[in-house]
């Protein structure tokens, strides 16, 4: 299929941009419901179900000290990447943490402590996971614990051998980050990437999956919508389906949690609310979520050095809530930082220690931190 034949005209582009904006405002941005449902069906045990119900009850009751264990685990194998994406703190060298790969000891301890309760392990966060020399052993180890395995990749650096290993390792879900179907649009954000190579790799993976009679990994083409690529969304969807990708998903761009000039970044990258005037405000996409922060109840994030973060959005060593190398999970999960962060979502909660969560505007708070905490520096200190 010639890509040019499915690209829209200028008039069609304006209509598409506005349609995409309406769609993005309606899509829940934080979950993949179908993926979580099948993880529940495939990997449940009586203990996991009991823990899931407990976690959800404590989340809805806005409990500060909790007994439930997180059932979605984010393990970042390494925080190094071959690309230089302009809105990623790894790509801009603003991560606030030494670039390194996770040791097997840190990985195994994290998985072993979480395994009896976990439904999913996401083996990605701030780097290109396929660069880790033991990534396939990691996938296989998680799968051996009856836990769903998920991974995200820009898919530039793969060989025929790695494609077979992806299929044979037990990986259940693979997210392919491809934000354009022309070099002009793809290269603008995926700096140092090669679109032709990525598409060729995707075709190889689909062909080998078919030859090996495997239904996994389930493939999701994830397309981040910017103002420079919004006109290619429908053409990308058509291309993905024609190639045999299982799911095409569009998401809005995200900003670094501690971006110094977020409004300027929005003007540069986000789709305008209308295309009639150049000075129109960019779309923000996200409204404040009325419930408490679900990350503080459902998920646990471990960085390559063993530092644990309150969620996968937060980066920077100075913002860690614990260290899995020197602490057990129970030492971290109800420590002073977690108690203080969860307290912000209760009426008259006691916010007792400054954390990165104090400045978060994603979820609606019932108790604001004392002014001395809001004035405390909680931004990432670049090393």
């Amino acid at each position: 299929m010639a890509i040019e034949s499915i690209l829209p005209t200028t008039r069609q582009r304006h209509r598409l941009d506005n349609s995409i904006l309406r769609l993005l405002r309606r899509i829940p941005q934080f979950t993949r419901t179908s993926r979580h449902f099948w993880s529940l069906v495939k990997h449940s045990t009586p203990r996991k179900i009991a823990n899931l119900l407990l976690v959800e009850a404590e989340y809805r009751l806005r409990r500060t000290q909790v007994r439930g264990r997180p059932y979605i685990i984010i393990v970042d194998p390494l925080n190094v990447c071959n690309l230089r994406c302009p809105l990623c703190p790894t790509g801009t060298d603003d991560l606030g943490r030494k670039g390194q790969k996770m040791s097997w000891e840190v990985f195994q301890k994290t998985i072993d402590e979480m395994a009896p309760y976990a439904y999913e392990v996401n083996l990605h966060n701030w780097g290109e996971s396929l660069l880790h020399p033991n990534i396939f052993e990691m996938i296989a180890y998680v799968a051996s614990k009856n836990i769903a395995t998920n991974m995200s990749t820009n898919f530039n650096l793969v060989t025929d051998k790695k494609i077979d290993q992806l299929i044979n390792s037990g990986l259940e879900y693979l997210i392919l980050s491809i934000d354009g179907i022309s070099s002009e649009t793809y290269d603008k954000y995926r700096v140092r990437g090669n679109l032709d190579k990525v598409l060729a790799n995707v075709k190889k993976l689909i062909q080998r999956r078919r030859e090996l009679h495997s239904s996994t990994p389930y493939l999701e083409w994830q397309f981040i919508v910017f103002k420079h690529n919004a006109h290619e969304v429908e053409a990308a969807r058509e291309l993905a389906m024609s190639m045999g990708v299982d799911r095409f998903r569009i998401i809005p761009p995200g900003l670094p949690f501690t971006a110094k000039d977020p409004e300027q970044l929005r003007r540069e990258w986000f789709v305008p609310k209308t295309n009639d005037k150049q000075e129109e405000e960019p779309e923000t996409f996200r409204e404040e979520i009325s419930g408490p922060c679900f990350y503080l109840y459902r998920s646990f994030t471990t960085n390559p050095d063993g530092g644990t973060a309150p969620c996968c959005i937060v980066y920077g060593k100075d913002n860690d809530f614990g260290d899995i190398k020197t602490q057990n999970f129970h030492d971290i999960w109800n420590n002073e930082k977690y108690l203080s962060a969860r307290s912000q979502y209760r009426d008259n909660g006691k916010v007792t220690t400054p954390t990165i969560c104090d400045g978060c505007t994603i979820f609606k708070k019932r108790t604001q931190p004392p002014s001395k905490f809001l004035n405390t520096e909680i931004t990432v200190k670049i090393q």
Side-chain angles (χ1 to χ4, degrees), residues 115-135:
Y117 306 92
Y119 276 101
E120 298 178 14
V121 171
N122 298 339
L123 288 163
H124 62 268
N125 203 18
W126 296 115
E128 172 52 55
S129 299
L130 287 174
L131 291 173
H132 196 292
N134 302 117
I135 187 61

Side-chain angles (χ1 to χ4, degrees), residues 163-272:
I163 286 175
D164 278 9
Q165 287 176 306
L166 274 172
I167 298 169
N168 295 326
S169 63
L171 182 68
E172 294 186 13
Y173 202 101
L174 182 64
I175 301 163
L176 305 166
S177 298
I178 311 173
D179 316 308
I181 57 171
S182 65
S183 294
E184 179 184 5
T185 54
Y186 178 84
D187 294 353
K188 185 174 178 62
Y189 187 71
R190 301 290 169 181
V191 178
R192 297 187 182 180
N194 185 312
L195 177 64
D196 291 338
K197 183 184 294 185
V198 171
L199 294 178
N201 289 336
V202 174
K203 290 177 182 177
K204 285 182 182 179
L205 174 58
I206 293 171
Q207 179 180 344
R208 283 300 289 158
R209 189 179 65 172
R210 187 181 302 115
E211 291 171 352
L212 294 173
H213 306 288
S214 176
S215 60
T216 58
Y218 186 94
L219 300 179
E220 175 188 305
W221 179 326
Q222 180 179 274
F223 191 110
I224 304 177
V225 179
F226 301 104
K227 69 179 182 181
H228 70 270
N229 68 3
H231 65 285
E232 289 188 352
V233 167
E234 291 307 316
R237 187 194 307 276
E238 187 173 338
L239 178 62
M241 295 301 101
S242 70
M243 291 172 64
V245 172
D246 300 299
R247 184 183 188 189
F248 182 83
R249 183 172 186 256
I250 60 173
I251 65 171
L255 292 176
F257 195 78
T258 55
K260 296 178 177 62
D261 192 350
E263 293 308 316
Q264 173 57 35
L265 291 175
R266 285 193 183 94
R267 287 192 294 271
E268 182 178 356
W269 293 98
F270 285 30
V271 181

Side-chain angles (χ1 to χ4, degrees), residues 24-159:
L24 285 171
R25 293 189 194 110
R26 294 198 303 267
I27 294 175
Q29 301 304 332
F30 296 93
T31 62
R32 292 174 173 87
T33 304
S34 60
R35 186 182 86 186
H36 299 321
F37 173 76
W38 286 113
S39 295
L40 181 69
V41 170
K42 185 175 181 180
H43 299 286
S44 278
T45 65
R47 177 184 287 184
K48 288 184 181 182
I49 293 173
N51 178 71
L52 173 67
L53 295 174
L54 176 60
V55 170
E56 292 304 306
E58 291 180 324
Y59 164 69
R60 285 162 176 76
L61 292 170
R62 302 172 185 258
R63 290 278 170 80
T64 300
Q65 185 156 347
V66 297
R67 293 186 296 118
R69 291 195 178 197
Y71 53 83
I72 298 177
I73 314 304
I74 297 97
V75 175
D76 196 359
L78 80 170
N79 53 4
V80 176
C81 189
N82 53 304
L83 303 189
R84 294 294 180 267
C85 303
L87 295 184
C88 173
T90 304
T92 58
D93 199 25
D94 291 332
L95 195 59
R97 191 186 302 272
K98 178 183 176 182
Q100 63 186 94
K101 64 181 181 180
M102 179 177 283
S103 70
W104 185 264
E105 291 73 25
V106 169
F107 166 76
Q108 188 175 40
K109 184 180 180 185
T110 301
I111 299 303
D112 287 351
E113 292 203 23
M114 303 289 109
Y117 306 92
Y119 276 101
E120 298 178 14
V121 171
N122 298 339
L123 288 163
H124 62 268
N125 203 18
W126 296 115
E128 172 52 55
S129 299
L130 287 174
L131 291 173
H132 196 292
N134 302 117
I135 187 61
F136 301 112
E137 290 88 346
M138 289 177 167
I139 294 169
Y141 188 79
V142 173
S144 74
K145 300 289 185 177
N146 187 30
I147 308 172
T149 50
N150 310 303
M151 192 173 74
S152 177
T153 175
N154 61 59
F155 222 45
N156 277 267
L157 300 177
V158 291
T159 61

